[in-house]
Amino acid sequence: MFAAYVTVTILASVFTGIAAVTYLIGHDYPKAQADMKRIPRSWVPRLGMVLAAGSLGLLAGFAVPLLGTLAAAGLVLYFVGALIAHLRVGSRQLVGWAVFFTTVVAALVVNLGYH
């Protein structure tokens, strides 16, 4: 179980960390997604900070297990919000969302299972 916990947690942290970097450097993709979902562009850096905090929180969970659990739960809520934003505007482009959501749910499950 320890190997699954470490592997899934690191994978989720890398995925969300890469997404956070694209949001924070001002890449065009997050801006286009914000426009498509009718979210103000001023939210893009804030959403990037939430992703970065979640990514770092997952890693910090190796030292403080409760922090990792809370970070994983927060990321699950983040991606539930992303789904709502997609569905609100009628977007059915959910493959990317599904990959991220599945990864963070798996991180939460192995975290709870291990601890």
Side-chain angles (χ1 to χ4, degrees):
M1 184 65 177
F2 178 73
Y5 163 64
V6 170
T7 303
V8 172
T9 300
I10 290 174
L11 182 67
S13 180
V14 168
F15 277 15
T16 56
I18 290 170
V21 168
T22 62
Y23 276 63
L24 293 172
I25 66 171
H27 193 273
D28 288 337
Y29 182 74
K31 292 177 185 175
Q33 287 293 304
D35 292 343
M36 184 265 298
K37 294 171 191 151
R38 295 191 295 258
I39 296 172
R41 282 193 175 192
S42 63
W43 287 19
V44 172
R46 292 180 184 109
L47 293 172
M49 290 301 293
V50 170
L51 286 169
S55 178
L56 293 174
L58 288 173
L59 295 177
F62 291 128
V64 182
L66 179 60
L67 191 56
T69 303
L70 293 174
L75 286 168
V76 168
L77 292 175
Y78 175 92
F79 286 107
V80 167
L83 175 64
I84 292 168
H86 272 278
L87 297 177
R88 183 175 57 90
V89 296
S91 171
R92 299 294 185 254
Q93 300 172 357
L94 299 174
V95 173
W97 170 85
V99 170
F100 281 96
F101 184 71
T102 303
T103 305
V104 297
V105 166
L108 179 60
V109 168
V110 297
N111 192 307
L112 291 172
Y114 181 70
H115 297 105

